[in-house]
Amino acid sequence: MSHSTAPGTTTSAAPPARPSASDLCRARSRDFRVSADEAAVTAARREVLNVVRGWRVPFTNAMFDDLGLLTGEIVTNAIRHAEAPCVVAVRWTGTRVRVEVTDASPVRPKPRHGSPDAEGGRGLLLVDALAADWGSADDPAGKVVWFEVGAREQPPPWSTPGTWTITTTDGTVNEGYLPEWAEDDPTEVDVPPDELAQRLALVNHRTFFEGPLMPVIAPGLWDGPQDEPVLEGSIDCNPHDPDPRHRVPAVNLQLAEGRWILGLDPHQLTEIAAKLREHADLFDQKICPALVAARDDWAARHSR
């Protein structure tokens, strides 16, 4: 992680492991309701694309095309077969965009080859072909069908498991260890020699972990409370960083959007966990009883 913040220090900037990483690595989410009208599908597809573009997700035009197409198919199926409104949730995890569509029908879809008019027929064939991953699950409201667009789990076909390789046009080969937990393979070929140093500096092994969603109010950014992840982050390792501390895996912990504790080693992460447990005990044992007493007193005073 190419930053100068000392380990265990709180900062308002996200770890700049890649250009504009402060904008790209944060997990984000948005949800909205779609009316039971197939004419609303176009608006839903447009909303998903606008949201994802607004997050500055580094997708190619083809990936945006896939995202719009798959959103349209899943939302159409939800409206057509449930005959009721549905809810669309969009989430950027840092490596993939995940779209979840929840509808009132409990019937979970299955691709049916040769039956394009059946539930999930053509739509789920497209999802199966274009999505990085997809699935469905039961939901108290009925069911949820989800898909993801973004990096595939498998490494590029020219890479070797456990090894990343950057090869220049003049035949120079640079390689390193690729850990199993890394979500991206930096393997690349035909790199101009004068760009090699920059490519090596950008090698970043990272895996994200999610935090719980909590209703967050951000005046000036959005209206009303919105579910946002808190206390989430990533395990990062930058093997070619000038600072030796950043060449070994460390945790970057985001307290809330834009507020990070960077470069945590195992001991420091354990200290953070202990402080969080102490704070949870404070909530349970002192703050909650004090709140109940304050509310009871308030109610008594205002009932007279």
Side-chain angles (χ1 to χ4, degrees):
M1 296 151 292
S2 302
H3 55 79
S4 58
T5 306
T9 301
T10 304
T11 178
S12 61
R18 297 180 184 274
S20 301
S22 61
D23 293 316
L24 302 181
C25 75
R26 295 195 296 267
R28 303 182 180 208
S29 63
R30 181 76 58 82
D31 60 82
F32 58 93
R33 185 179 178 87
V34 180
S35 63
D37 180 356
E38 291 196 18
V41 173
T42 299
R45 181 169 57 240
R46 186 184 303 116
E47 177 70 11
V48 168
L49 291 174
N50 287 342
V51 166
V52 174
R53 287 193 171 103
W55 290 337
R56 298 177 62 193
V57 170
F59 273 6
T60 63
N61 289 335
M63 295 168 79
F64 278 114
D65 289 344
D66 290 346
L67 178 63
L69 176 62
L70 298 181
T71 298
E73 294 292 346
I74 296 299
V75 172
T76 297
N77 275 348
I79 293 174
R80 182 175 297 165
H81 298 287
E83 298 182 343
C86 64
V87 174
V88 177
V90 192
R91 180 168 175 78
W92 166 239
T93 68
T95 55
R96 291 181 178 181
V97 168
R98 180 183 176 98
V99 176
E100 300 177 352
V101 179
T102 304
D103 64 58
S105 170
V107 180
R108 294 169 62 175
K110 295 180 181 179
R112 298 181 183 178
H113 299 271
S115 181
D117 295 327
E119 164 132 10
R122 174 179 175 272
L124 290 184
L125 290 177
L126 284 172
V127 174
D128 199 43
L130 299 178
D133 198 5
W134 75 276
S136 63
D138 297 329
D139 187 88
K143 71 171 178 298
V144 57
V145 180
W146 59 270
F147 68 86
E148 295 178 347
V149 174
R152 300 271 179 168
E153 293 297 336
Q154 68 269 25
W158 59 81
S159 69
T160 302
T163 303
W164 60 263
T165 304
I166 297 178
T167 304
T168 62
T169 53
D170 64 3
T172 301
V173 177
N174 294 266
E175 63 180 25
Y177 171 61
L178 180 64
E180 291 185 3
W181 50 264
E183 295 186 359
D184 295 303
D185 186 341
T187 291
E188 194 172 1
V189 297
D190 295 331
V191 173
D194 59 345
E195 296 181 11
L196 177 61
Q198 179 185 20
R199 293 294 207 282
L200 291 175
L202 292 176
V203 172
N204 176 56
H205 303 313
R206 169 178 288 168
T207 183
F208 288 91
F209 53 87
E210 296 183 352
L213 292 176
M214 295 186 180
V216 175
I217 295 177
L221 295 180
W222 58 75
D223 296 328
Q226 178 173 306
D227 282 345
E228 289 288 323
V230 298
L231 292 172
E232 66 179 2
S234 60
I235 299 175
D236 286 81
C237 177
N238 295 74
H240 291 273
D241 196 287
D243 189 334
R245 294 175 301 173
H246 306 152
R247 299 176 197 162
V248 296
V251 160
N252 293 318
L253 183 64
Q254 182 172 225
L255 309 180
E257 184 170 335
R259 297 293 185 269
W260 291 80
I261 300 176
L262 303 180
L264 294 168
D265 63 27
H267 175 70
Q268 292 167 325
L269 186 59
T270 299
E271 289 182 336
I272 293 291
K275 291 178 181 178
L276 291 176
R277 281 189 287 269
E278 289 176 3
H279 213 69
D281 290 341
L282 175 66
F283 283 164
D284 285 337
Q285 299 170 16
K286 293 185 178 181
I287 306 303
C288 189
L291 176 61
V292 170
R295 290 169 66 95
D296 289 345
D297 174 70
W298 187 266
R301 295 283 181 175
H302 287 78
S303 63
R304 297 173 182 176

